[in-house]
């Protein structure tokens, strides 16, 4: 794997690695939303294992995209919990993509498809 490669969930179920369990961004939001209406999206790190947050190892930031359109960036410090809830609205169905950076384990990606209905 190269220096600039993006890591994402390669395994599912019980065969997830410890790194995957605490680094892959987990996106919590409805599967279906109304066009143009606000809804909440919560992004956490570590669905099975909570990602540590300390001076030597922490999530520095994540970027949230609707397909390729940038929606938000959230920055963290070692004293913060690696979790954020954002309120947003969408105009069409898309994949919500989160790209995160861990100061020790580089870039990680999480994704969730969301359907927008009228």
């Amino acid at each position: 794997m190269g220096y600039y490669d993006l890591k994402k969930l390669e395994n599912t179920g019980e065969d997830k690695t410890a790194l995957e369990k605490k680094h892959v961004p987990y996106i919590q939001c409805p599967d279906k939303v109304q066009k143009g209406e606000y809804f909440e999206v919560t992004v956490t790190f570590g669905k099975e294992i909570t990602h540590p947050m300390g001076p030597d190892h922490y999530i520095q930031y994540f970027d949230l995209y609707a397909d390729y359109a940038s929606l938000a960036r959230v920055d963290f410090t070692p004293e913060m919990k690696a979790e954020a809830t954002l309120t947003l609205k969408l105009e069409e169905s898309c994949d919500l993509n989160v790209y995160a950076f861990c100061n020790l384990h580089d870039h990680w990606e999480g994704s969730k498809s969301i359907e927008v209905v009228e």
Side-chain angles (χ1 to χ4, degrees), residues 10-53:
E10 299 293 337
N11 304 297
T12 58
E14 298 300 317
D15 59 346
K16 290 180 194 169
T17 67
L19 281 178
E20 288 174 333
K21 288 179 181 179
K22 63 183 169 184
H23 285 92
V24 173
Y26 178 59
I27 303 166
Q28 299 170 75
C29 67
D31 294 329
K32 188 182 291 188
V33 297
Q34 292 292 316
K35 180 179 179 176
E37 291 189 14
Y38 287 102
F39 65 98
E40 288 190 346
V41 175
T42 300
V43 177
T44 57
F45 297 87
K47 184 176 178 185
E48 293 93 351
I49 301 172
T50 301
H51 190 283
M53 293 295 282

Side-chain angles (χ1 to χ4, degrees), residues 53-55 58 76-82:
M53 293 295 282
Y58 66 101
F76 298 105
T77 65
E79 296 77 29
M80 299 172 73
K81 183 176 182 181

